[in-house]
Amino acid sequence: MLSAGTRIGPYNVQKWIREGFCGQSYSGEASSGEEKGQLKYLKLFHRELSEKEGFTDYFSQECRAIQQIEGRGVWPMLASGTLKWKHWISFAWFDGKIVQVPTPSQSEDKEFEEVALRSLADWLAHDSNRIGPEELKSIIIDMHCGLNRAHASGVIHGNLKPSNILLKEKEDGDFVAWISEFALAKLCCFQPLGDDIKNVTAFSSQSLQYQDSLNESQAYRPPDTNLLEIPEESWDLVAMGSLAQSIIQKSEKPSDEWLAWQVWAGKAVNRDFFTVAQSMEAIPGVEDLSVYGMVSEKKNGVNSLTNEEVKKQREWEWEREQKVKSSTFRRNMTGLAGSLCLLIFLFSKIYLYLNPSPWVEYSMEGASDRYQLGFGIWSGKAWGILPAVYDDNGEGGQDVAGEWEKVDGNFRLNFRKFKKVDEDESGKKLWQYIGKGATRPDDYYAWSDHLFFDRSKRELLFVKRVYDEDVFLPGQRGQEPLRLFPEVRMRRSAGEIKKAELVFTQTDKAGPSWSLFLGVGFLLACSMYHRILVSIPKDPAGKD
């Protein structure tokens, strides 16, 4: 028994509740996160079980499966964890209904105490006559919905009894029920690999609470089962029948009101039902199973499936579900990949129609100038060649980085180059100019090249170069090579210097569009998986 304040995972123990077949129960308070201060129900497994070799891995695997179960009729597991020998599970705390009940006393003056009616066991102990046929119907239907979800996921409760059924009375007097502590009985049946089941003994405690819990568990199981046996689906159906019989026995209502329920409970206890759907369909007053998310297993109004046929049906349904999930996932993923590839192809075509190819070199034969424009919609990075006129050594040809932007339908490439430092005159070293605020605009050569993009020919036409306030245009004088002349000089040359075109062509020619090929390929694969999905039969006979 843990004392108050002991830490279990992210919870602090408040008080001991009881010891049962599946472990010790505590109330605890969350100590961190958004749930800090909230009350929780904690389940701590027996130390003898927790210290068995391989139990930790088995515990983690089973808890992942249990945590997937949620919905109507299920009181879900919130979290689980391991700390040394402590293997714990947490649930939300259920307050229940607080009532005043008389204390056992021999005196005429009755004294009362407050009792919380949380579980079916509490209601049967203090207000058993409150549950009539209609209330039982609501409770049993909720339990069937919860078990149907669990069994569909391969999770068996295995320990259904009144203390594991939480009940809430609604304002209209009806009840809502939840099944708690799913699959804990299976965890308690764990045995290490290699152990002979014949030589293994079950955990046993001298605690009276443990013995009472053990006897209660055995009372709601099939008589031919034992503690170390892995629970089966039929156990839960038998337990529901036994629970209904217990409610009927404790009720003070006339027996004729319970006739239909006695028949149903007798069939459940005698294992006449092989599945939750069969049991649900036999509940008095239940007709359409689709309302509860179940499918009828009757043929011509009669339960004609044997236990073996039900198992084969379940195996086929599981295999079909796996095929459907696999084909659906592959169809969706290939469809998504194909759509993305085609979207990329379409976007690239639109982009390349309006802009030069990103990071592709544009050059002109006989000239050292080169240009590259980075990807961008309205602006981006650029790369060019340093003109000799802006080189302190008069050589030029070095790479220079800059930025481009669209201005008046042209691409304006802005470059700058740090001027050579005269250390004798300034008294500064080059490294002293490095840093925020250490330089001025006068310390740089700054120029802009304006280029026009010809979409039809995929070429860049040089328009002008701007340096400070001077504008340079491409021109040619006589038979001299093409070069840049000041705009003013060209106007004053009286036609001696004629305008010329500097055309920069794309060095690398466009290759095949792989995004188009990949997109078409993925969509073909998507179509193939869709055909596979459609062809999966909906019944074992192979009919759609």
Side-chain angles (χ1 to χ4, degrees), residues 416 418-419 426 428 433 435 437-445:
R416 69 175 189 169
F418 192 75
K419 297 178 181 178
S426 66
K428 288 186 177 182
Y433 283 93
T439 60
R440 306 184 306 273
D442 294 341
D443 295 326
Y444 296 91
Y445 295 111

Side-chain angles (χ1 to χ4, degrees), residues 380-514:
K381 298 295 182 181
W383 171 84
I385 298 296
L386 177 67
V389 69
Y390 303 135
D391 186 3
D392 294 311
N393 297 325
E395 298 176 356
Q398 298 94 344
D399 294 344
V400 59
E403 296 181 348
W404 67 263
E405 58 181 340
K406 286 186 177 180
V407 178
D408 298 330
N410 294 332
F411 289 86
R412 184 173 72 185
L413 283 62
N414 302 314
F415 300 104
R416 69 175 189 169
K417 172 70 169 60
F418 192 75
K419 297 178 181 178
K420 185 177 180 180
V421 179
D422 190 343
E423 298 179 357
D424 294 335
E425 293 182 4
S426 66
K428 288 186 177 182
K429 302 296 184 182
L430 176 59
W431 61 268
Q432 289 178 290
Y433 283 93
I434 301 175
K436 186 176 181 181
T439 60
R440 306 184 306 273
D442 294 341
D443 295 326
Y444 296 91
Y445 295 111
W447 70 98
S448 300
D449 288 347
H450 294 247
L451 305 173
F452 173 76
F453 178 60
D454 187 343
R455 300 189 186 95
S456 60
K457 298 181 179 179
R458 308 295 301 171
E459 296 175 341
L460 288 174
L461 305 180
F462 190 93
V463 178
K464 62 182 178 179
R465 174 173 293 167
V466 179
Y467 176 68
D468 288 340
E469 297 181 357
D470 297 329
V471 178
F472 297 84
L473 302 175
Q476 186 176 24
R477 181 167 55 190
Q479 299 299 319
E480 295 179 1
L482 296 176
R483 64 187 184 92
L484 299 182
F485 294 90
E487 185 180 21
V488 176
R489 185 177 175 184
M490 291 184 67
R491 288 202 306 266
R492 295 175 179 175
S493 68
E496 181 182 355
I497 302 176
K498 298 180 180 180
K499 289 185 178 181
E501 283 189 346
L502 295 180
V503 180
F504 295 86
T505 58
Q506 184 174 321
T507 304
D508 299 326
K509 300 300 180 182
S513 180
W514 292 109

Side-chain angles (χ1 to χ4, degrees), residues 267-318:
K267 290 182 178 180
V269 171
N270 292 326
R271 296 191 179 187
D272 287 351
F273 306 128
F274 301 120
T275 66
V276 175
Q278 289 181 359
S279 175
M280 182 77 162
E281 207 160 20
I283 293 176
V286 172
E287 297 179 356
D288 186 7
L289 294 190
S290 62
V291 176
Y292 310 101
M294 302 184 198
V295 178
S296 174
E297 294 182 355
K298 285 185 177 181
K299 293 181 179 179
N300 300 323
V302 180
N303 287 324
S304 58
L305 296 179
T306 65
N307 195 15
E308 187 64 28
E309 288 174 335
V310 169
K311 289 183 178 179
K312 291 182 178 180
Q313 174 80 9
R314 287 294 178 86
E315 290 176 359
W316 179 87
E317 289 177 353
W318 184 85

Side-chain angles (χ1 to χ4, degrees), residues 4 21 475 512:
F21 166 63

Side-chain angles (χ1 to χ4, degrees), residues 211-222:
Q211 296 297 330
D212 290 342
S213 175
L214 187 63
N215 293 334
E216 184 185 19
S217 297
Q218 197 62 50
Y220 292 91
R221 291 182 176 182

